[in-house]
Amino acid sequence: MKKILISFLLLSASLLATVINEEASQQLIDSKTPIVDIRTPAEWKETGLLKGSIPIMLFDEKGNYDLKDFIDKLNNAVDTKKQFAIICRTGSRTRVLAPFLSQKLNYDVINIKSGILYAKFIKLPIEPYSAK
C-alpha cells in the first residue's frame, strides 16, 4: 500500500509542473519571481537585462548549446522547486525551452512570450549588463 501511495504522490507531483505564457510586466518584476535571461552576452550588452534578471546563456552565437551546463547553472542560480521565469530576445527560444523544463524536469516555468524587446518597448526597468 505504501508503494502505491508513494507512486501516486510522485506521479501527482510530476503532473503539477506547468508552463505559463505571459508578457513581461512590472507585476512580474515586483513579484520577485526569479527571471532567467537565456540570451548571449553580446545580446545582454546590446539591450541590457530586465531589472533583477539572472543571465545564464543557453545558445551561443552559433546556435550551439550545452544543456547540462545550462541546467547546472540554472539549478545553482534559482530554486527550481519554485516557479521562475525565462526570457530571451523575442520569445522564440523560451517557447522551446519552457515546455522542456516543465515536461522533462518538472519545473514550474513562466515563459515571457515577447522577450526583452517587448519589455523595452513598454519601458520596463532595464539594467545594463556588465560581466562579473
Side-chain angles (χ1 to χ4, degrees):
M1 183 66 179
K2 284 185 180 179
K3 287 183 181 179
I4 293 172
L5 181 59
I6 290 172
S7 296
F8 177 73
L9 291 174
L10 289 174
L11 179 62
S12 296
S14 69
L15 294 175
L16 295 177
T18 59
V19 174
I20 297 171
N21 295 296
E22 66 180 58
E23 298 294 357
S25 66
Q26 187 62 49
Q27 181 180 0
L28 180 61
I29 295 169
D30 292 344
S31 75
K32 303 294 185 204
T33 299
I35 300 171
V36 176
D37 191 317
I38 67 167
R39 298 175 299 141
T40 65
E43 290 175 295
W44 300 327
K45 288 176 190 170
E46 178 187 332
T47 62
L49 297 162
L50 194 57
K51 183 179 178 184
S53 292
I54 304 162
I56 306 174
M57 181 179 70
L58 175 57
F59 295 101
D60 67 17
E61 291 82 1
K62 296 178 182 176
N64 299 316
Y65 62 93
D66 181 339
L67 190 57
K68 182 186 179 325
D69 182 60
F70 173 79
I71 298 297
D72 288 346
K73 289 177 180 174
L74 176 66
N75 287 330
N76 286 327
V78 301
D79 182 354
T80 54
K81 292 180 180 77
K82 297 179 181 175
Q83 189 175 61
F84 63 93
I86 55 176
I87 190 169
C88 65
R89 184 176 182 85
T90 63
S92 59
R93 287 171 274 188
T94 59
R95 188 176 318 118
V96 173
L97 180 61
F100 171 82
L101 294 174
S102 176
Q103 294 166 6
K104 300 295 183 191
L105 301 176
N106 296 318
Y107 294 168
D108 288 318
V109 181
I110 298 171
N111 172 34
I112 300 178
K113 295 191 305 188
S114 298
I116 193 73
L117 293 182
Y118 179 75
K120 286 186 69 132
F121 175 75
I122 63 170
K123 301 193 182 329
L124 290 177
I126 303 293
E127 301 172 330
Y129 170 72
S130 60
K132 295 172 181 152

